[in-house]
């Protein structure tokens, strides 16, 4: 027995393409025939209904009283003696082009005007519809019904034909009937389907033959590329593509020819990629170190409040104090430290969303004066506790483009920071200055200037200039980091300036 794997059987690409396209042609032709048979008549009926509604709109433009007065004055008013001025422009064209017949009568059937087929038959039909006595009423199919008109498909036993009709009342005084025959569309559908089938068969036969010839020329270079790939799989890089197809296959063949020449370059690229991978590893190490530093800072910030909460909770449990005021003090300390931890966690979550880009700014136009006044109103209790004197005048609106919610957070951080670093003068001054294309917002507070060496570090997470004082008001060193992340996200400027009598924090926003 021969222990060999059977080679896979390949079908000719030329035949596959030819029969695929032939089958596709046949499928498309059959699809056209089916769609034509199912939907063409419905589409035709829908279009005819729109034409009838359009003719009805023309009727509403007619001066009926004048037309019927003229009929009474001069007798019968036939369509062939009318002038263009007597009907709205286009009514006669619409009626002729769409084979419309119509009639308009008074409610007492005293007078009528009409167009098209026998007026007596039309008048009888309209009279039967109006008084619900027409013998074809039961054979009709209502397509659309409104307050003053009905569109219906009906079989007329006199002419033995199907019609689309629109009849109804105008101005509560006149009846109208518009109709157009439907018989022609059924014959058209049958003829067109027969034509599509006959022509389609010739197209499929001719297409298969033509595609077989064309694909024979196309697949020859592909066969050569198949042989070339087999040789290259055996590391025979001397094999070259030599055919000329005049299309993208030539590009593919040239790429095969260049493949062996690019091996050395590929090895060089691999070495470069190896160096980049090494740098990525080093960056990962740096990120791990930053993560460790971040966890150390968070642990340090949480260690003190956790220890206080644990100590005072143990004191409450052991009942070491008998005075109710002391117990209340212990509870207040626990609640205050828990509040500080909660605030720290919220700030960390906010900062993480901003730095990761998950909380993208939503740019909108708003009044910065109203925003600042809202912040001051919300912080009214804290301002009173600090006995601060706020200087801010914002009577006239100043509109800017920015994320209103994030801008409010920046202003809140600046004002809160100012209130926590006041001196004996306790002055806070907020200014909004309009520049050429920017609006500059600044928050100044009287107090000791920040050492110049510390200014750049203010925006770093967990950094505190005076840790003891920061601890007094519950600061965590994250507020200004949030400000930095917000302003960077909106591509705006921000900073801090020392003055002789205090410190000014500022930021800018776009005016346009």
């Amino acid at each position: 027995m021969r222990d060999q794997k059977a080679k896979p059987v390949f079908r000719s690409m030329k035949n596959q393409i030819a029969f695929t396209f032939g089958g596709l042609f046949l499928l498309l032709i059959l699809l056209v025939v089916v769609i034509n048979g199912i939907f063409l008549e419905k589409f035709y009926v829908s279009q005819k209904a729109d034409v009838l509604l359009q003719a009805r709109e023309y009727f509403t433009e007619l001066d009926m009283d004048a037309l019927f007065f003229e009929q009474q004055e001069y007798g019968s008013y036939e369509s062939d003696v009318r002038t263009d001025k007597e009907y709205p422009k286009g009514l006669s064209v619409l009626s002729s082009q769409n084979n419309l017949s119509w009639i308009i009568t008074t409610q007492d059937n005293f007078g009528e005007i009409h167009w098209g087929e026998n007026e007596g038959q039309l008048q009888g039909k309209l009279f039967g519809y109006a008084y619900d006595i027409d013998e074809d009423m039961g054979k009709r199919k209502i397509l659309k019904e409104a307050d003053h008109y009905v569109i219906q498909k009906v079989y007329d036993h006199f002419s033995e034909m199907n019609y689309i009709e629109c009849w109804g009342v105008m101005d509560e005084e006149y009846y109208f009937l518009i109709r157009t025959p439907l018989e022609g569309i059924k014959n058209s559908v049958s003829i067109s389907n027969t034509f599509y089938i006959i022509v389609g068969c010739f197209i499929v036969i001719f297409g298969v033959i033509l595609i077989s010839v064309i694909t024979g020329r196309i697949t020859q270079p592909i066969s050569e590329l198949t042989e070339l790939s087999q040789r290259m799989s055996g590391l025979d890089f001397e094999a070259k593509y030599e055919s000329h197809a005049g299309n993208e296959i030539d590009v593919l063949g040239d790429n095969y020819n260049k493949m062996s020449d690019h091996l050395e370059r590929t090895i060089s690229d691999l070495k470069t990629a190896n160096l980049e991978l090494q740098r990525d590893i080093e960056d990962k190490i740096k990120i791990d170190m930053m993560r460790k530093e971040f966890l150390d800072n968070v642990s340090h910030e949480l260690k003190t409040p956790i220890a206080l909460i644990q100590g005072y909770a143990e004191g409450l449990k052991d009942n070491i104090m008998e005075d109710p005021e002391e117990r209340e003090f212990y509870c207040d300390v626990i609640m205050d430290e828990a509040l500080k931890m909660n605030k720290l966690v919220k700030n960390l979550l906010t900062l993480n969303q901003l730095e990761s880009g998950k909380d993208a700014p939503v740019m909108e136009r708003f009044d910065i004066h109203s925003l600042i006044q809202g912040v001051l109103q919300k912080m009214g209790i804290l301002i009173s506790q600090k006995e601060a004197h706020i200087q801010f005048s914002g009577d006239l609106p100043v509109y800017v483009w920015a994320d209103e919610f994030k801008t409010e957070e920046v202003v809140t951080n600046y004002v809160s920071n100012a209130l926590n670093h006041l001196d004996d003068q306790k002055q806070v001054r907020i200014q909004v200055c309009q520049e050429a294309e920017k609006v500059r917002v600044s928050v100044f507070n009287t107090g000791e200037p920040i050492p110049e060496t510390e200014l750049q570090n203010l925006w770093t997470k967990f950094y505190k200039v005076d840790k003891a004082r920061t601890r007094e008001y519950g600061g965590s060193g994250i507020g200004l980091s949030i400000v930095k992340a917000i302003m960077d996200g909106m591509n705006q400027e921000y900073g801090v300036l020392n003055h002789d009598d205090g410190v000014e924090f500022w930021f800018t926003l776009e005016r346009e």
Side-chain angles (χ1 to χ4, degrees):
M1 295 179 63
R2 300 177 61 183
D3 189 12
Q4 293 183 349
K5 292 184 179 179
K7 293 184 178 180
V9 177
F10 293 98
R11 296 179 180 177
S12 171
M13 183 181 297
K14 179 179 69 174
N15 294 335
Q16 286 182 340
I17 295 176
F19 285 111
T20 299
F21 276 93
L24 182 61
F25 289 156
L26 183 59
L27 178 62
L28 290 176
I29 293 169
L30 293 176
L31 184 62
V32 169
V33 171
V34 172
I35 293 176
N36 202 29
I38 296 176
F39 298 105
L40 182 58
E41 183 176 354
K42 295 180 180 178
F43 178 76
Y44 179 82
V45 169
S46 174
Q47 295 297 307
K48 282 296 183 181
D50 292 339
V51 171
L52 297 182
L53 287 178
Q54 185 178 355
R56 178 184 175 276
E57 292 297 325
Y58 278 126
F59 288 164
T60 61
E61 299 178 13
L62 291 172
D63 187 350
M64 294 295 178
D65 294 335
L67 289 174
F68 279 92
F69 173 79
E70 182 176 348
Q71 182 197 34
Q72 294 173 12
E73 193 72 22
Y74 298 103
S76 179
Y77 198 83
E78 297 296 337
S79 60
D80 55 356
V81 298
R82 297 188 181 110
T83 64
D84 292 339
K85 296 181 180 178
E86 292 166 351
Y87 290 140
K89 183 179 180 180
L91 177 58
S92 59
V93 175
L94 179 68
S95 300
S96 299
Q97 289 181 346
N98 293 279
N99 194 19
L100 299 183
S101 299
W102 50 263
I103 188 170
I104 303 174
T105 69
T106 59
Q107 284 190 348
D108 55 8
N109 206 21
F110 179 74
E112 56 85 13
I113 56 176
H114 77 282
W115 179 284
E117 63 186 50
N118 183 273
E119 61 176 300
Q121 183 180 352
L122 290 176
Q123 190 172 17
K125 278 285 181 183
L126 181 56
F127 181 80
Y129 292 156
Y131 294 97
D132 199 16
I133 59 175
D134 187 82
E135 62 184 36
D136 292 328
M137 292 288 285
K139 301 177 182 179
R140 66 175 179 167
K141 176 182 179 182
I142 296 178
L143 304 178
K144 185 176 182 180
E145 188 171 7
D147 293 336
H148 299 291
Y149 67 88
V150 175
I151 298 177
Q152 61 191 16
K153 179 180 177 183
V154 64
Y155 177 77
D156 191 333
H157 72 280
F158 288 108
S159 59
E160 296 183 350
M161 293 176 62
N162 287 307
Y163 287 86
I164 294 291
E165 296 180 341
C166 178
W167 70 276
V169 182
M170 292 189 303
D171 301 330
E172 305 298 335
E173 297 182 14
Y174 304 98
Y175 288 115
F176 71 91
L177 169 64
I178 316 168
R179 70 186 329 198
T180 183
L182 274 180
E183 292 301 320
I185 185 60
K186 294 184 177 180
N187 294 330
S188 298
V189 171
S190 177
I191 294 172
S192 62
N193 284 341
T194 304
F195 176 77
Y196 290 149
I197 293 173
I198 295 173
V199 173
C201 291
F202 283 105
I203 291 177
V204 170
I205 296 173
F206 178 75
V208 170
I209 296 175
L210 182 61
I211 291 173
S212 298
V213 175
I214 295 174
T215 53
R217 300 182 59 185
I218 294 175
T219 55
Q220 180 182 354
I222 298 177
S223 300
E224 183 177 345
L225 285 176
T226 303
E227 182 182 355
L228 179 61
S229 64
Q230 291 175 348
R231 294 177 62 183
M232 292 189 67
S233 65
L235 302 181
D236 181 6
F237 297 110
E238 297 298 325
K240 300 295 181 182
Y241 173 77
E242 297 178 354
S243 294
H244 179 71
N247 52 33
E248 292 82 358
I249 297 177
D250 289 344
V251 178
L252 181 61
D254 290 339
N255 291 335
Y256 269 99
N257 294 340
K258 295 175 183 177
M259 193 173 299
S260 59
D261 298 333
H262 289 172
L263 283 177
E264 184 177 357
R265 189 178 303 172
T266 303
I267 293 174
S268 176
D269 292 341
L270 287 174
K271 290 183 179 180
T272 303
N274 187 38
L275 293 176
E276 292 179 354
L277 180 60
Q278 185 64 32
R279 285 196 294 268
D280 291 341
I281 294 174
E282 294 175 358
D283 291 340
K284 182 179 181 302
I285 294 174
K286 292 180 181 178
I287 293 173
D288 290 339
M289 293 178 62
M290 293 173 61
R291 185 182 294 110
K292 182 178 180 299
E293 181 182 357
F294 175 79
L295 293 175
D296 290 342
N297 288 327
V298 173
S299 300
H300 177 75
E301 292 294 329
L302 294 177
K303 181 167 56 178
T304 300
I306 290 175
L308 288 173
I309 290 174
Q310 182 179 3
Y312 280 89
E314 290 176 353
L316 287 173
K317 181 179 179 180
D318 295 339
N319 294 320
I320 62 175
M321 76 298 294
E322 297 179 357
D323 188 357
E325 292 184 359
E326 290 186 4
R327 287 196 297 271
E328 184 176 355
F329 172 74
Y330 272 46
C331 292
D332 289 341
V333 171
I334 293 174
M335 293 174 61
D336 183 58
E337 295 302 323
L339 182 63
K340 290 177 182 178
M341 287 194 298
N342 184 43
K343 181 180 179 181
L344 173 62
V345 172
K346 287 183 178 179
N347 286 337
L348 286 173
L349 292 175
T350 301
L351 182 59
N352 180 63
Q353 287 185 329
L354 291 170
E355 291 182 340
S356 63
K358 295 179 180 179
D359 191 6
V362 179
M363 307 304 286
E364 53 189 330
R365 185 172 181 264
F366 61 91
D367 179 14
I368 188 65
H369 276 172
S370 298
L371 185 144
I372 295 173
Q373 289 171 350
V375 171
L376 295 178
Q377 185 177 5
K378 292 178 183 178
M379 301 181 69
I381 297 177
L382 180 61
I383 293 172
S384 300
Q385 292 175 348
K386 298 288 185 178
E387 298 179 353
H389 303 288
I390 306 296
Q391 298 180 17
F392 173 67
S393 60
D395 299 331
L396 298 177
V398 175
Y399 290 100
V400 296
W401 281 95
D403 188 309
E404 185 173 3
F405 177 77
K406 292 184 174 61
T407 304
E408 180 179 353
E409 191 165 359
V410 172
V411 174
T412 302
N413 271 302
Y414 275 3
V415 174
S416 177
N417 190 63
L419 293 174
N420 290 324
H421 292 84
L422 291 172
D423 61 358
D424 294 336
Q425 298 183 26
K426 298 183 178 181
Q427 298 288 329
V428 176
R429 184 170 60 251
I430 303 175
Q431 291 183 328
V432 177
C433 300
Q434 301 186 55
E435 300 175 354
E437 298 180 355
K438 302 274 188 177
V439 171
R440 186 178 187 273
V441 181
S442 62
V443 179
F444 169 84
N445 68 276
T446 57
E448 296 182 2
I450 301 172
E452 294 293 332
T453 57
E454 307 288 345
L455 291 179
Q456 294 299 324
N457 297 325
L458 290 176
W459 316 100
T460 304
K461 291 190 289 288
F462 300 108
Y463 185 81
K464 304 171 186 176
V465 177
D466 186 348
K467 297 184 179 180
R469 185 172 182 181
T470 303
R471 178 66 192 169
E472 289 179 6
Y473 63 82
S476 60
I478 298 178
L480 293 180
S481 300
I482 294 175
V483 171
K484 176 180 182 299
I486 291 175
M487 301 314 297
D488 288 342
M490 296 192 296
N491 295 321
Q492 296 299 315
E493 298 176 351
Y494 59 95
V496 57
L497 296 173
N498 277 324
H499 296 275
D500 294 337
D501 57 343
V503 179
E504 174 191 359
F505 284 85
W506 60 272
F507 66 91
T508 64
L509 297 174
E510 297 287 345
R511 290 185 62 184
E512 299 296 335

